Amino acid sequence: EAGVTQSPTHLIKTRGQQVTLRCSPISGHTSVYWYQQALGLGLQFLLWYDEGEERNRGNFPPRFSGRQFPNYSSELNVNALELEDSALYLCASSLNRNNEQFFGPGTRLTVL
Amino acid sequence: TQLLEQSPQFLSIQEGENLTVYCNSSSVFSSLQWYRQEPGEGPVLLVTVVTGGEVKKLKRLTFQFGDARKDSSLHITAAQTGDTGLYLCAGDPTGNQFYFGTGTSLTVIP
């Protein structure tokens, strides 16, 4: 069974640009979570989608947004990139909101 | 303020030594999970503990959930270089948001 996949694996952008990250959950999983992990730091919760709806968002500005598609894949959009947005962005999926989360390999975003 | 505090933050030990990592909170969790993350990769789930006082063993790793379900520990016996990584505890106390601990970075020196 395929795990959680994310694309792209690496991305380099400049300040002010916009970026879209993609995530495909494990087949059958309806919940998708996005996390930001700055270098050397823990995971910070960004967004949670379940059944196509945004269920919760972490303490991030509105320029961080996303959506979940009918096939449960998800996108994370970040507008007006800032240097401190440089981080590993991790996507996880779970069978439902109460189940264990399985992570993708992440997208490494560098903002110059 | 972090909901889940882990200690120590950094740990460097010799191969063959034992170690314990702690995960503490003032909140009650219905379950806690432990993950290991290697550089440049996503966290990998090691175990989920559900019942207060529960002890789970995964080869040389022993996980314990506190009686009050507010804390957990991970004990590694005879550490190996392959145990090197970032260890994270995580849980959802409210049913609305998953929280990760501050992490313990373990380095096992050959």
Side-chain angles (χ1 to χ4, degrees):
Chain A
E1 179 182 288
V4 177
T5 59
Q6 291 185 244
S7 63
T9 54
H10 294 86
L11 206 50
I12 299 176
K13 293 283 188 178
T14 56
R15 286 179 61 192
Q17 285 189 309
Q18 178 266 342
V19 69
T20 298
L21 311 181
R22 294 178 175 82
C23 171
S24 291
I26 290 172
S27 177
H29 286 193
T30 61
S31 278
V32 170
Y33 309 80
W34 287 95
Y35 296 89
Q36 182 196 65
Q37 186 178 32
L39 191 62
L41 299 180
L43 277 70
Q44 300 298 317
F45 169 72
L46 267 165
L47 289 159
W48 167 33
Y49 292 96
D50 183 60
E51 297 284 359
E53 299 285 332
E54 182 180 302
R55 301 298 182 181
N56 200 10
R57 66 178 291 129
N59 190 25
F60 281 83
R63 58 191 185 82
F64 287 84
S65 66
R67 55 180 172 167
Q68 187 178 34
F69 298 97
N71 66 354
Y72 303 116
S73 66
S74 177
E75 282 182 354
L76 173 68
N77 298 292
V78 188
N79 294 321
L81 284 167
E82 301 179 1
L83 296 179
E84 51 265 34
D85 296 334
S86 294
L88 181 68
Y89 288 84
L90 291 160
C91 170
S93 75
S94 68
L95 198 56
N96 57 51
R97 59 187 261 177
N98 294 320
N99 278 64
E100 300 156 357
Q101 298 186 15
F102 295 85
F103 283 83
T107 293
R108 171 70 64 187
L109 172 64
T110 301
V111 182
L112 302 175
Chain B
T1 304
Q2 290 279 352
L3 192 68
L4 286 165
E5 293 283 349
Q6 288 184 239
S7 61
Q9 186 177 0
F10 298 97
L11 193 53
S12 182
I13 62 170
Q14 294 287 336
E15 199 169 23
E17 291 184 344
N18 303 331
L19 66 114
T20 303
V21 174
Y22 300 93
C23 172
N24 295 292
S25 177
S26 57
S27 298
V28 176
F29 289 80
S30 58
S31 66
L32 273 180
Q33 299 170 10
W34 284 93
Y35 292 81
R36 180 172 66 217
Q37 184 180 21
E38 299 190 19
E41 299 181 9
V44 175
L45 180 67
L46 295 174
V47 79
T48 299
V49 285
V50 178
T51 307
E54 179 179 8
V55 176
K56 277 191 175 179
K57 289 196 172 187
L58 188 66
K59 297 183 181 178
R60 295 176 293 101
L61 279 60
T62 302
F63 304 85
Q64 185 160 6
F65 201 12
D67 291 340
R69 292 185 286 123
K70 293 182 178 182
D71 56 86
S72 181
S73 64
L74 157 60
H75 182 80
I76 301 179
T77 304
Q80 299 176 356
T81 54
D83 296 327
T84 293
L86 178 67
Y87 289 82
L88 297 157
C89 63
D92 179 357
T94 63
N96 255 350
Q97 182 172 330
F98 213 65
Y99 292 88
F100 277 82
T102 47
T104 295
S105 179
L106 171 65
T107 301
V108 181
I109 303 165

